[in-house]
Amino acid sequence: MSVFKIAGRELSSRLLLGTGGLPNLALLPDVIAAAEPGMVTVSMRRTSSTAAGGLLETLRAAKVPILPNTAGCLSAREAVLTAQLAREALETDWVKLEVIGDETSLMPDAVELVEAAEQLVRKGFTVLPYATDDPVLARRLEDAGCAAVMPLGSPIGSGLGILNPHAIEAIVAAVDVPVVLDAGVGTASDAALAMELGCSAVLAATAVTRADDPVAMARALRLAVEAGHTARGAGRIPRQAVARASSPMEGRIA
Amino acid sequence: MRITVNGEPMEVGGTVADLLEARTGDRRPSGVAVAVAEEIVPRDDWAERSLQDGDVVEIVTAVQGG
């Protein structure tokens, strides 16, 4: 696939992988080997609440770049502090910025998101914000200095795919920074569609980690992202309501 | 001296490094970050930064997440 960069940094793949939801950490090396992701996301939590269980060692052994997120943060203040903690703990100034509005819908809080993005950009972070599928918000985030925008296809963990493909296309048209489809991917066709719509990359977590066979789904998503990206470049035929023969009409018998 | 560590009250004294040693067995654990009163305490300051009565300390690390 063609070279893919965010903030000038070349990533090896257009598939980004979330690690949340995997029932058994022992599966992670095989999942990463099958997905070949450009980056892998992690969350930041209090040391006592969840055993780290060698997660960082596993990711470092796989030599995959780590992208910390601010999952679970409900305000700009929490998200900025979490990003700073992640930078200190993981020695990266990249952050997948999540500021959710409530714990039921898990939908991004656009107001707090823009505020947090502005603060983090000022502090020198490379900010990749998780956003609603709104081209106006995407442009606001780009104006704030974000290195990419990550619109949702549908709610986190829902597996509903891309509910509004026109909005994703509008975001691709609205911003110059890479668009990474985040949230909602349920299976390979969702990831392929995201790429066909013009996204630069896809982030998938639950689609892989909660699949019956996470390793097989990791491979499927890798292939789907490649297929969708190649198809986007190939240029699809226009849709039309009437048939158009591909075989010659001349020379038919009888 | 009473401080709050990851939301729970603790009776401890000393520095951030002393607290980390008590909780993790390591004065300078990797993959960990510390905030006191919502301010990051850089790794290189852990050994010098004394905890004060009433401090609210957060000690975080990476876990699986999307």
Short mmCIF file of all heavy atoms in Angstrom, two decimals, chain A residues 82-131:
data_model
loop_
_atom_site.label_atom_id
_atom_site.label_comp_id
_atom_site.label_asym_id
_atom_site.label_seq_id
_atom_site.Cartn_x
_atom_site.Cartn_y
_atom_site.Cartn_z
N THR A 82 -4.99 13.15 31.69
CA THR A 82 -4.73 11.77 31.28
C THR A 82 -3.69 11.72 30.15
O THR A 82 -2.80 10.87 30.15
CB THR A 82 -6.04 11.10 30.84
OG1 THR A 82 -6.95 11.12 31.94
CG2 THR A 82 -5.80 9.66 30.40
N ALA A 83 -3.80 12.64 29.21
CA ALA A 83 -2.82 12.69 28.12
C ALA A 83 -1.43 12.99 28.65
O ALA A 83 -0.43 12.40 28.20
CB ALA A 83 -3.24 13.75 27.10
N GLN A 84 -1.35 13.88 29.63
CA GLN A 84 -0.04 14.20 30.21
C GLN A 84 0.54 13.01 30.97
O GLN A 84 1.74 12.76 30.92
CB GLN A 84 -0.17 15.41 31.14
CG GLN A 84 -0.46 16.71 30.40
CD GLN A 84 -0.67 17.86 31.36
OE1 GLN A 84 -1.68 17.95 32.04
NE2 GLN A 84 0.30 18.73 31.43
N LEU A 85 -0.33 12.27 31.66
CA LEU A 85 0.12 11.06 32.35
C LEU A 85 0.62 10.03 31.34
O LEU A 85 1.64 9.36 31.55
CB LEU A 85 -1.02 10.47 33.20
CG LEU A 85 -1.35 11.24 34.49
CD1 LEU A 85 -2.72 10.85 35.02
CD2 LEU A 85 -0.27 10.99 35.54
N ALA A 86 -0.11 9.91 30.23
CA ALA A 86 0.29 8.95 29.20
C ALA A 86 1.64 9.33 28.60
O ALA A 86 2.49 8.47 28.35
CB ALA A 86 -0.78 8.89 28.11
N ARG A 87 1.83 10.62 28.38
CA ARG A 87 3.11 11.08 27.81
C ARG A 87 4.26 10.74 28.75
O ARG A 87 5.32 10.30 28.32
CB ARG A 87 3.06 12.59 27.56
CG ARG A 87 4.38 13.15 27.07
CD ARG A 87 4.24 14.47 26.35
NE ARG A 87 3.89 15.57 27.24
CZ ARG A 87 3.72 16.83 26.82
NH1 ARG A 87 3.86 17.13 25.55
NH2 ARG A 87 3.40 17.77 27.68
N GLU A 88 4.00 10.92 30.04
CA GLU A 88 5.04 10.63 31.02
C GLU A 88 5.31 9.12 31.13
O GLU A 88 6.46 8.69 31.20
CB GLU A 88 4.61 11.19 32.38
CG GLU A 88 5.61 11.07 33.49
CD GLU A 88 6.84 11.94 33.29
OE1 GLU A 88 6.79 12.90 32.49
OE2 GLU A 88 7.88 11.64 33.92
N ALA A 89 4.22 8.34 31.12
CA ALA A 89 4.38 6.89 31.33
C ALA A 89 4.93 6.19 30.09
O ALA A 89 5.70 5.24 30.21
CB ALA A 89 3.04 6.27 31.71
N LEU A 90 4.52 6.64 28.92
CA LEU A 90 4.81 5.89 27.69
C LEU A 90 5.81 6.60 26.78
O LEU A 90 6.16 6.07 25.72
CB LEU A 90 3.50 5.62 26.93
CG LEU A 90 2.44 4.87 27.75
CD1 LEU A 90 1.15 4.73 26.96
CD2 LEU A 90 2.95 3.50 28.16
N GLU A 91 6.22 7.79 27.19
CA GLU A 91 7.23 8.54 26.43
C GLU A 91 6.81 8.74 24.98
O GLU A 91 7.59 8.52 24.05
CB GLU A 91 8.59 7.84 26.53
CG GLU A 91 9.13 7.86 27.96
CD GLU A 91 10.30 6.92 28.17
OE1 GLU A 91 10.88 6.48 27.17
OE2 GLU A 91 10.63 6.62 29.33
N THR A 92 5.56 9.14 24.80
CA THR A 92 5.09 9.56 23.48
C THR A 92 4.20 10.78 23.66
O THR A 92 3.45 10.86 24.63
CB THR A 92 4.29 8.46 22.77
OG1 THR A 92 3.75 8.99 21.55
CG2 THR A 92 3.14 7.94 23.62
N ASP A 93 4.32 11.73 22.72
CA ASP A 93 3.43 12.89 22.81
C ASP A 93 2.25 12.75 21.84
O ASP A 93 1.54 13.70 21.59
CB ASP A 93 4.18 14.21 22.62
CG ASP A 93 4.96 14.27 21.34
OD1 ASP A 93 4.70 13.44 20.44
OD2 ASP A 93 5.85 15.14 21.22
N TRP A 94 2.06 11.53 21.35
CA TRP A 94 0.86 11.26 20.55
C TRP A 94 -0.27 10.83 21.48
O TRP A 94 -0.05 10.09 22.44
CB TRP A 94 1.14 10.15 19.53
CG TRP A 94 1.95 10.61 18.36
CD1 TRP A 94 3.09 11.37 18.41
CD2 TRP A 94 1.68 10.37 16.97
NE1 TRP A 94 3.54 11.60 17.13
CE2 TRP A 94 2.71 11.00 16.24
CE3 TRP A 94 0.69 9.67 16.30
CZ2 TRP A 94 2.75 10.95 14.85
CZ3 TRP A 94 0.74 9.62 14.91
CH2 TRP A 94 1.76 10.25 14.20
N VAL A 95 -1.48 11.27 21.17
CA VAL A 95 -2.62 10.85 21.99
C VAL A 95 -3.87 10.74 21.12
O VAL A 95 -4.13 11.59 20.27
CB VAL A 95 -2.85 11.81 23.18
CG1 VAL A 95 -3.21 13.21 22.71
CG2 VAL A 95 -3.92 11.28 24.13
N LYS A 96 -4.59 9.65 21.31
CA LYS A 96 -5.94 9.55 20.76
C LYS A 96 -6.86 10.18 21.79
O LYS A 96 -7.08 9.63 22.87
CB LYS A 96 -6.34 8.09 20.49
CG LYS A 96 -7.76 7.97 19.96
CD LYS A 96 -8.24 6.54 19.88
CE LYS A 96 -9.76 6.54 19.77
NZ LYS A 96 -10.33 5.18 19.93
N LEU A 97 -7.36 11.36 21.44
CA LEU A 97 -8.13 12.16 22.40
C LEU A 97 -9.60 11.74 22.38
O LEU A 97 -10.27 11.87 21.36
CB LEU A 97 -8.01 13.64 22.05
CG LEU A 97 -8.80 14.61 22.91
CD1 LEU A 97 -8.36 14.56 24.36
CD2 LEU A 97 -8.67 16.03 22.35
N GLU A 98 -10.06 11.23 23.50
CA GLU A 98 -11.48 10.90 23.66
C GLU A 98 -12.02 11.71 24.83
O GLU A 98 -11.46 11.67 25.92
CB GLU A 98 -11.67 9.41 24.00
CG GLU A 98 -11.33 8.45 22.89
CD GLU A 98 -11.68 7.01 23.26
OE1 GLU A 98 -12.77 6.77 23.82
OE2 GLU A 98 -10.85 6.13 23.01
N VAL A 99 -13.09 12.45 24.57
CA VAL A 99 -13.84 13.09 25.65
C VAL A 99 -15.30 12.74 25.39
O VAL A 99 -15.90 13.25 24.44
CB VAL A 99 -13.67 14.62 25.68
CG1 VAL A 99 -14.30 15.17 26.96
CG2 VAL A 99 -12.21 15.03 25.60
N ILE A 100 -15.83 11.86 26.20
CA ILE A 100 -17.21 11.41 25.96
C ILE A 100 -18.20 12.25 26.76
O ILE A 100 -17.85 12.83 27.80
CB ILE A 100 -17.39 9.91 26.27
CG1 ILE A 100 -16.97 9.59 27.70
CG2 ILE A 100 -16.61 9.07 25.27
CD1 ILE A 100 -17.34 8.20 28.13
N GLY A 101 -19.41 12.34 26.23
CA GLY A 101 -20.43 13.18 26.86
C GLY A 101 -21.19 12.47 27.95
O GLY A 101 -21.65 13.10 28.90
N ASP A 102 -21.34 11.18 27.82
CA ASP A 102 -21.96 10.39 28.88
C ASP A 102 -21.53 8.93 28.73
O ASP A 102 -21.06 8.51 27.67
CB ASP A 102 -23.49 10.52 28.90
CG ASP A 102 -24.14 9.89 27.69
OD1 ASP A 102 -24.12 8.65 27.58
OD2 ASP A 102 -24.65 10.63 26.83
N GLU A 103 -21.75 8.18 29.80
CA GLU A 103 -21.22 6.82 29.84
C GLU A 103 -22.19 5.81 29.23
O GLU A 103 -21.89 4.61 29.19
CB GLU A 103 -20.87 6.45 31.28
CG GLU A 103 -19.66 7.24 31.78
CD GLU A 103 -19.41 7.09 33.27
OE1 GLU A 103 -20.31 6.60 33.98
OE2 GLU A 103 -18.31 7.48 33.71
N THR A 104 -23.32 6.25 28.75
CA THR A 104 -24.28 5.34 28.13
C THR A 104 -24.08 5.31 26.62
O THR A 104 -23.85 4.27 26.02
CB THR A 104 -25.72 5.77 28.46
OG1 THR A 104 -25.85 5.84 29.88
CG2 THR A 104 -26.72 4.78 27.89
N SER A 105 -24.14 6.49 26.00
CA SER A 105 -23.97 6.54 24.55
C SER A 105 -22.50 6.49 24.15
O SER A 105 -22.18 6.09 23.02
CB SER A 105 -24.59 7.84 24.00
OG SER A 105 -23.80 8.95 24.37
N LEU A 106 -21.62 6.89 25.04
CA LEU A 106 -20.18 7.03 24.77
C LEU A 106 -19.91 7.97 23.60
O LEU A 106 -18.87 7.91 22.96
CB LEU A 106 -19.53 5.66 24.50
CG LEU A 106 -19.66 4.62 25.61
CD1 LEU A 106 -18.99 3.31 25.17
CD2 LEU A 106 -19.03 5.11 26.91
N MET A 107 -20.87 8.85 23.32
CA MET A 107 -20.69 9.79 22.20
C MET A 107 -19.73 10.90 22.60
O MET A 107 -19.73 11.36 23.75
CB MET A 107 -22.04 10.39 21.80
CG MET A 107 -22.99 9.38 21.19
SD MET A 107 -22.46 8.83 19.54
CE MET A 107 -23.20 10.11 18.55
N PRO A 108 -18.90 11.35 21.65
CA PRO A 108 -17.97 12.45 21.96
C PRO A 108 -18.73 13.72 22.37
O PRO A 108 -19.79 14.02 21.83
CB PRO A 108 -17.24 12.67 20.63
CG PRO A 108 -17.40 11.41 19.87
CD PRO A 108 -18.73 10.86 20.27
N ASP A 109 -18.13 14.45 23.32
CA ASP A 109 -18.64 15.77 23.72
C ASP A 109 -17.86 16.80 22.91
O ASP A 109 -16.70 17.11 23.21
CB ASP A 109 -18.42 15.97 25.23
CG ASP A 109 -18.96 17.30 25.73
OD1 ASP A 109 -18.90 18.29 24.96
OD2 ASP A 109 -19.44 17.35 26.86
N ALA A 110 -18.49 17.31 21.86
CA ALA A 110 -17.77 18.15 20.89
C ALA A 110 -17.16 19.39 21.55
O ALA A 110 -16.03 19.79 21.21
CB ALA A 110 -18.73 18.56 19.77
N VAL A 111 -17.88 19.99 22.49
CA VAL A 111 -17.40 21.23 23.10
C VAL A 111 -16.13 20.98 23.92
O VAL A 111 -15.12 21.66 23.78
CB VAL A 111 -18.51 21.85 23.98
CG1 VAL A 111 -18.00 23.08 24.70
CG2 VAL A 111 -19.72 22.19 23.11
N GLU A 112 -16.20 19.96 24.78
CA GLU A 112 -15.04 19.63 25.61
C GLU A 112 -13.88 19.11 24.75
O GLU A 112 -12.71 19.32 25.05
CB GLU A 112 -15.43 18.56 26.65
CG GLU A 112 -16.43 19.06 27.69
CD GLU A 112 -15.83 20.05 28.69
OE1 GLU A 112 -14.70 19.82 29.16
OE2 GLU A 112 -16.48 21.06 28.98
N LEU A 113 -14.23 18.41 23.67
CA LEU A 113 -13.22 17.85 22.77
C LEU A 113 -12.36 18.94 22.14
O LEU A 113 -11.12 18.86 22.13
CB LEU A 113 -13.92 17.02 21.69
CG LEU A 113 -13.02 16.25 20.72
CD1 LEU A 113 -12.27 15.14 21.44
CD2 LEU A 113 -13.86 15.67 19.57
N VAL A 114 -13.01 19.96 21.61
CA VAL A 114 -12.27 21.05 20.97
C VAL A 114 -11.42 21.78 22.01
O VAL A 114 -10.25 22.10 21.76
CB VAL A 114 -13.23 22.03 20.26
CG1 VAL A 114 -12.48 23.25 19.76
CG2 VAL A 114 -13.93 21.32 19.09
N GLU A 115 -11.98 22.00 23.19
CA GLU A 115 -11.23 22.66 24.26
C GLU A 115 -9.98 21.85 24.63
O GLU A 115 -8.87 22.39 24.74
CB GLU A 115 -12.14 22.83 25.48
CG GLU A 115 -11.45 23.31 26.75
CD GLU A 115 -10.85 24.71 26.62
OE1 GLU A 115 -11.40 25.50 25.85
OE2 GLU A 115 -9.81 24.96 27.26
N ALA A 116 -10.16 20.53 24.79
CA ALA A 116 -9.03 19.67 25.16
C ALA A 116 -8.00 19.63 24.03
O ALA A 116 -6.78 19.67 24.28
CB ALA A 116 -9.52 18.26 25.47
N ALA A 117 -8.48 19.57 22.79
CA ALA A 117 -7.55 19.53 21.65
C ALA A 117 -6.69 20.79 21.62
O ALA A 117 -5.47 20.71 21.43
CB ALA A 117 -8.34 19.38 20.35
N GLU A 118 -7.32 21.95 21.82
CA GLU A 118 -6.56 23.21 21.80
C GLU A 118 -5.48 23.21 22.88
O GLU A 118 -4.33 23.59 22.64
CB GLU A 118 -7.51 24.39 21.98
CG GLU A 118 -8.38 24.64 20.74
CD GLU A 118 -9.45 25.70 20.96
OE1 GLU A 118 -9.74 26.03 22.13
OE2 GLU A 118 -10.01 26.17 19.95
N GLN A 119 -5.87 22.78 24.09
CA GLN A 119 -4.91 22.77 25.20
C GLN A 119 -3.75 21.82 24.92
O GLN A 119 -2.58 22.15 25.16
CB GLN A 119 -5.61 22.34 26.50
CG GLN A 119 -6.55 23.38 27.07
CD GLN A 119 -7.07 22.95 28.43
OE1 GLN A 119 -6.38 22.33 29.21
NE2 GLN A 119 -8.33 23.28 28.71
N LEU A 120 -4.06 20.64 24.39
CA LEU A 120 -3.01 19.64 24.17
C LEU A 120 -2.08 20.04 23.03
O LEU A 120 -0.87 19.80 23.10
CB LEU A 120 -3.64 18.27 23.92
CG LEU A 120 -4.26 17.62 25.16
CD1 LEU A 120 -5.08 16.39 24.79
CD2 LEU A 120 -3.18 17.24 26.17
N VAL A 121 -2.64 20.65 21.99
CA VAL A 121 -1.78 21.12 20.90
C VAL A 121 -0.81 22.18 21.44
O VAL A 121 0.39 22.17 21.13
CB VAL A 121 -2.63 21.68 19.73
CG1 VAL A 121 -1.77 22.46 18.76
CG2 VAL A 121 -3.37 20.54 19.03
N ARG A 122 -1.32 23.06 22.31
CA ARG A 122 -0.45 24.08 22.91
C ARG A 122 0.66 23.46 23.75
O ARG A 122 1.75 24.01 23.87
CB ARG A 122 -1.27 25.04 23.79
CG ARG A 122 -1.97 26.13 23.01
CD ARG A 122 -2.34 27.32 23.91
NE ARG A 122 -3.28 26.96 24.96
CZ ARG A 122 -4.61 26.95 24.81
NH1 ARG A 122 -5.14 27.29 23.66
NH2 ARG A 122 -5.40 26.61 25.81
N LYS A 123 0.36 22.29 24.33
CA LYS A 123 1.36 21.61 25.17
C LYS A 123 2.28 20.72 24.34
O LYS A 123 3.09 19.97 24.91
CB LYS A 123 0.65 20.77 26.25
CG LYS A 123 -0.06 21.61 27.31
CD LYS A 123 -0.81 20.72 28.29
CE LYS A 123 -1.67 21.52 29.26
NZ LYS A 123 -0.90 22.35 30.19
N GLY A 124 2.13 20.76 23.01
CA GLY A 124 3.07 20.03 22.17
C GLY A 124 2.66 18.62 21.80
O GLY A 124 3.47 17.86 21.27
N PHE A 125 1.42 18.26 22.08
CA PHE A 125 0.95 16.92 21.73
C PHE A 125 0.59 16.82 20.25
O PHE A 125 0.21 17.80 19.61
CB PHE A 125 -0.29 16.55 22.54
CG PHE A 125 -0.01 16.15 23.97
CD1 PHE A 125 0.15 17.10 24.95
CD2 PHE A 125 0.11 14.81 24.31
CE1 PHE A 125 0.43 16.74 26.27
CE2 PHE A 125 0.37 14.44 25.62
CZ PHE A 125 0.53 15.40 26.59
N THR A 126 0.73 15.60 19.71
CA THR A 126 0.16 15.26 18.41
C THR A 126 -1.20 14.63 18.70
O THR A 126 -1.27 13.53 19.26
CB THR A 126 1.08 14.28 17.66
OG1 THR A 126 2.33 14.95 17.41
CG2 THR A 126 0.46 13.84 16.35
N VAL A 127 -2.27 15.35 18.35
CA VAL A 127 -3.60 15.01 18.83
C VAL A 127 -4.43 14.37 17.72
O VAL A 127 -4.57 14.94 16.63
CB VAL A 127 -4.33 16.26 19.36
CG1 VAL A 127 -5.71 15.91 19.88
CG2 VAL A 127 -3.50 16.92 20.45
N LEU A 128 -4.96 13.18 18.02
CA LEU A 128 -5.86 12.47 17.10
C LEU A 128 -7.21 12.33 17.81
O LEU A 128 -7.39 11.44 18.64
CB LEU A 128 -5.30 11.07 16.77
CG LEU A 128 -4.08 10.98 15.86
CD1 LEU A 128 -2.84 11.57 16.47
CD2 LEU A 128 -3.83 9.53 15.47
N PRO A 129 -8.15 13.23 17.52
CA PRO A 129 -9.39 13.26 18.29
C PRO A 129 -10.47 12.32 17.74
O PRO A 129 -10.73 12.27 16.53
CB PRO A 129 -9.85 14.71 18.15
CG PRO A 129 -9.32 15.12 16.81
CD PRO A 129 -8.05 14.35 16.58
N TYR A 130 -11.10 11.61 18.66
CA TYR A 130 -12.27 10.78 18.35
C TYR A 130 -13.49 11.71 18.33
O TYR A 130 -13.76 12.40 19.32
CB TYR A 130 -12.43 9.70 19.43
CG TYR A 130 -13.76 8.99 19.40
CD1 TYR A 130 -14.15 8.26 18.29
CD2 TYR A 130 -14.64 9.06 20.48
CE1 TYR A 130 -15.37 7.62 18.25
CE2 TYR A 130 -15.86 8.41 20.46
CZ TYR A 130 -16.22 7.69 19.34
OH TYR A 130 -17.43 7.06 19.31
N ALA A 131 -14.19 11.74 17.20
CA ALA A 131 -15.22 12.77 17.00
C ALA A 131 -16.49 12.17 16.43
O ALA A 131 -16.51 11.03 15.95
CB ALA A 131 -14.69 13.84 16.04
#
